[in-house]
Amino acid sequence: MNQKKKLTDLLKDASFLRWLRAGRPGSDPEWNAWSKEDSANEKMAEDAAAMEQGLPFRQQKVSAELTQEHWAGIQARLNDQDVPAKRRRLLVWSAAAAVLLLVSLIGAQWLVGGEMAWSTHQTAMGESATISLPDGSTIYLGANSSLQYPTDFLAAEERLIHLEGEAYFEVQPQKQPKPFLVRTPALNVRVLGTTFNVNAHRSQPIVSLTSGSLQVIHPGTEVTKILEPGQTAQFIEAEGQFNIVSDAAAYWASWKAGEWQFGKDGVPMTEVIQRIEETYGLKCVVDNPAILQRRPAGKVSIDDREVLFASLSALMDLDFRVEGNELHIRQSEN
Amino acid sequence: MTNALHKDNSHTGSHLKQVFRSELSMKQGQRSKQLEIRLQKGDVSALEELYQQYHPELYLYALKLTNSQDLAKDAIQDTFVAIWKYRSNLAKANSMRFYLLQALRNQCLKILKKRRRFLSIGQGSPEMVIQPEELKLKDTSQETKQKIIQALYSLSNRQREIIYLKYYENLDYQEIATLLSINYQSVVNHVHRAIVRLRDADVLKLLER
């Protein structure tokens, strides 16, 4: 047994596999000798053993109702193919009757169950709130935002949150694996045990992942993407896919610490303006388009809006003045 | 002495297991032959039997491939309608289960392509999520899960699909090669690299053995 062996061949060799499964060193002296011949052989045996052992998957279950439901759809289509045209009319009627029955069944269920009850949390302009969910997860709700979850949050099959506005999530993993799903009007986020921020103020929400792993789902096109920690995603409609950047996560996570971190490289002024409008409900007016080209860097406090405007003013040498519903941003006079 | 005895026992054990397994697969073989004959005669109840037997694992695989309950359902239904339509082709299939997995995978890729979610049929695998909860873990702390998530996502989509086929669906290297239209050697290489990677990330020891 002195010729070199390839892993591929070894995995086809019944005597090798037997020897491997019995635990090393095993009862087969030839294979014992081979593995001691040189360290490469021993390493190969070790790798092969790990490959044979593999990963212990849990057996997943599919509910009998789902199996039945899918079968009903198949049956309907089989009937449609097999039945000659004359009989189809009758089928249409019986299908209609079935639909009616289904509708009345659903209706009855709704009447019995009543409407789904929701817990709602809401923040005013410039305000934020910390919400503890029944499962131990924490949500920091940003300004001018609202969040709803079913009152039977723990009993439901998935942990479902409806979000309008912005929130930072610290999701508590559970012993019984249960998906955590954040729905916003234009984007869904499926969480795999994680901390992340969702800004759904915008028509295309921005999702930023601090740690863990999550999947963003664009419901319109069903395009999905799995994010890695540090990545920020926004769906670009024109391209039909997500734009991913990896240098914005600190900015998107910073508001819950009472500041905006623009970082060393700064953030476009247009982004800051949009953020001010979302957070304080003000309309920003700029007297010189050159202001929009700027990129403030560093960080500012957002404890309250006067403090924010004062620090932005110092940082950028601009005047910030609130006039009614508008925030006027001008070049400083001196 | 005790050592040798122990080894002998385990040897006999695995031998028995093999005999038992081949008997089992013979019985299954006969059953699926009968199913096949009934199917070809146009017996819908045979299709339903086939469906009931394989729906759960097929649905879970479709769910993995498409990442969507709706698309998985479509893929399952299209597959069985197609099997019914082309039931005469069944005679060429060696194993019903493998034939179904193959038909389903093609259907899933077709649907994904139509949805522009996955563009290259024949190369690569769609994005496949494996969550730590799907594995038997020694402990379910956040830290453990985090580590496993990171390690699983450091694998390529192809590696994740192959891992799933090998260790959840229990397909052998040759079956995986046929299913994915790649050669035997590359399946072995993918499994090898994935396992070494998980071991290097210290993840294998977090799993129940």
Side-chain angles (χ1 to χ4, degrees):
Chain A
M1 225 174 277
N2 42 15
Q3 80 263 42
K4 283 244 182 248
K5 299 217 174 265
K6 276 175 68 189
L7 186 59
T8 321
D9 301 324
L10 288 174
L11 291 168
K12 283 182 191 162
D13 187 328
S15 80
F16 174 76
L17 292 176
R18 246 195 327 269
W19 171 74
L20 211 57
R21 279 172 200 146
R24 284 161 293 131
S27 48
D28 191 330
E30 278 191 67
W31 285 114
N32 284 341
W34 170 82
S35 75
K36 287 200 196 91
E37 236 165 55
D38 71 67
S39 61
N41 289 0
E42 188 154 356
K43 193 187 163 296
M44 210 185 279
E46 209 169 279
D47 288 3
M51 288 167 77
E52 279 302 294
Q53 196 171 28
L55 301 187
F57 274 92
R58 261 174 218 290
Q59 214 53 43
Q60 307 278 318
K61 289 215 174 70
V62 173
S63 76
E65 290 86 52
L66 198 70
T67 301
Q68 225 33 57
E69 185 200 316
H70 290 179
W71 175 249
I74 295 168
Q75 249 179 335
R77 280 169 61 184
L78 294 182
N79 288 339
D80 215 33
Q81 282 181 353
D82 282 357
V83 176
K86 270 187 206 161
R87 277 189 54 205
R88 281 212 182 139
R89 184 176 278 255
L90 195 70
L91 264 178
V92 169
W93 281 108
S94 48
V99 168
L100 262 180
L101 181 67
L102 194 66
V103 166
S104 53
L105 276 179
I106 291 172
Q109 212 173 15
W110 271 24
L111 284 178
V112 174
E115 258 191 41
M116 209 170 175
W118 296 84
S119 299
T120 306
H121 295 267
Q122 208 152 5
T123 52
M125 301 292 176
E127 198 184 84
S128 65
T130 307
I131 297 150
S132 296
L133 293 177
D135 69 337
S137 300
T138 306
I139 301 180
Y140 302 89
L141 189 60
N144 185 21
S145 301
S146 86
L147 178 137
Q148 288 185 311
Y149 59 89
T151 45
D152 65 346
F153 188 70
L154 282 183
E157 265 182 29
E158 50 185 19
R159 297 178 279 170
L160 178 66
I161 304 280
H162 280 272
L163 169 72
E164 284 174 43
E166 181 166 23
Y168 187 90
F169 293 82
E170 288 174 6
V171 173
Q172 187 71 31
Q174 296 207 303
K175 284 212 181 96
Q176 293 279 308
K178 222 185 240 188
F180 193 102
L181 203 65
V182 181
R183 284 188 201 279
T184 76
L187 189 81
N188 299 333
V189 182
R190 181 180 292 279
V191 179
L192 317 167
T194 291
T195 52
F196 63 102
N197 189 70
V198 179
N199 179 320
H201 282 298
R202 318 191 177 185
S203 61
Q204 285 308 336
I206 295 173
V207 178
S208 185
L209 178 62
T210 310
S211 71
S213 176
L214 60 75
Q215 183 185 33
V216 283
I217 303 144
H218 184 255
T221 55
E222 298 197 53
V223 171
T224 67
K225 181 78 198 157
I226 291 172
L227 297 192
E228 285 166 17
Q231 288 187 330
T232 300
Q234 184 177 33
F235 190 75
I236 308 296
E237 253 171 322
E239 293 168 15
Q241 59 187 14
F242 284 96
N243 178 37
I244 308 283
V245 297
S246 35
D247 57 356
Y251 166 69
W252 286 106
S254 61
W255 65 267
K256 76 174 171 61
E259 57 189 28
W260 287 344
Q261 278 183 26
F262 301 138
K264 241 181 23 249
D265 300 326
V267 162
M269 187 59 185
T270 46
E271 164 63 34
V272 178
I273 284 176
Q274 188 162 4
R275 212 79 199 286
I276 291 173
E277 294 189 341
E278 290 163 2
T279 308
Y280 301 102
L282 294 165
K283 179 106 195 61
C284 292
V285 183
V286 175
D287 73 342
N288 181 347
I291 293 175
L292 299 178
Q293 304 299 321
R294 308 226 359 223
R295 254 185 111 83
K299 65 181 182 187
V300 291
S301 166
I302 55 165
D303 276 347
D304 72 57
R305 68 182 206 192
E306 303 316 322
V307 173
L308 169 66
F309 298 155
S311 36
L312 276 176
S313 171
L315 190 68
M316 303 183 70
D317 197 23
L318 295 172
D319 264 354
F320 290 79
R321 189 162 302 142
V322 178
E323 291 167 18
N325 250 344
E326 295 181 341
L327 173 68
H328 287 261
I329 308 174
R330 302 186 177 93
Q331 305 280 10
S332 268
E333 272 152 31
N334 28 351
Chain B
M1 189 60 202
T2 26
N3 222 352
L5 202 69
H6 171 75
K7 264 177 234 147
D8 267 347
N9 274 346
S10 68
H11 194 85
T12 329
S14 69
H15 178 65
L16 275 181
K17 220 190 260 168
Q18 264 175 358
V19 172
F20 175 65
R21 205 194 262 164
S22 66
E23 220 168 85
L24 197 74
S25 65
M26 234 160 70
K27 265 190 197 153
Q28 278 174 346
Q30 285 167 359
R31 238 191 90 210
S32 69
K33 198 83 217 147
Q34 286 166 351
L35 262 183
E36 212 179 284
I37 294 167
R38 281 167 56 206
L39 258 179
Q40 282 171 4
K41 282 188 188 155
D43 180 353
V44 186
S45 73
L47 185 74
E48 184 167 5
E49 251 173 65
L50 193 69
Y51 171 86
Q52 294 290 354
Q53 186 182 346
Y54 291 109
H55 175 268
E57 69 169 312
L58 291 175
Y59 175 67
L60 290 168
Y61 183 38
L63 208 54
K64 279 261 169 284
L65 287 171
T66 60
N67 239 322
S68 147
Q69 296 181 358
D70 287 341
L71 295 188
K73 174 180 156 186
D74 289 350
I76 290 277
Q77 296 185 335
D78 291 352
T79 302
F80 276 91
V81 170
I83 280 174
W84 180 250
K85 213 165 148 189
Y86 305 109
R87 52 188 182 266
S88 52
N89 289 354
L90 271 176
K92 291 176 212 143
N94 281 328
S95 143
M96 199 71 102
R97 171 170 180 259
F98 186 72
Y99 179 80
L100 289 171
L101 281 170
Q102 213 169 8
L104 179 72
R105 187 175 193 275
N106 289 337
Q107 205 62 50
C108 285
L109 296 195
K110 218 156 130 189
I111 286 177
L112 289 176
K113 194 180 181 191
K114 220 190 302 176
R115 301 279 179 132
R116 287 190 298 154
R117 274 222 220 155
F118 179 60
L119 295 172
S120 52
I121 284 193
Q123 326 156 13
S125 298
E127 190 157 285
M128 214 184 205
V129 184
I130 297 176
Q131 302 193 20
E133 286 82 2
E134 292 174 51
L135 298 168
K136 294 179 187 149
L137 309 179
K138 278 193 185 144
D139 73 291
T140 52
S141 66
Q142 167 113 39
E143 204 190 334
T144 296
K145 287 187 186 169
Q146 210 57 57
K147 250 182 141 173
I148 290 171
I149 288 174
Q150 305 284 334
L152 285 173
Y153 286 107
S154 73
L155 304 181
S156 66
N157 288 328
R158 175 118 279 184
Q159 283 173 339
R160 273 201 299 274
E161 184 177 13
I162 290 178
I163 290 284
Y164 181 80
L165 292 169
K166 173 110 180 78
Y167 300 119
Y168 186 81
E169 298 289 353
N170 287 318
L171 297 185
D172 62 32
Y173 294 111
Q174 188 52 58
E175 286 172 319
I176 297 174
T178 312
L179 184 63
L180 305 183
S181 321
I182 56 181
N183 64 42
Y184 186 95
Q185 179 70 47
S186 21
V187 178
V188 173
N189 291 347
H190 277 303
V191 174
H192 186 200
R193 265 183 237 129
I195 290 290
V196 165
R197 184 136 206 184
L198 295 178
R199 189 177 61 200
D200 290 349
D202 277 343
V203 156
L204 292 184
K205 62 182 183 203
L206 302 173
L207 303 172
E208 220 174 69
R209 295 299 179 180

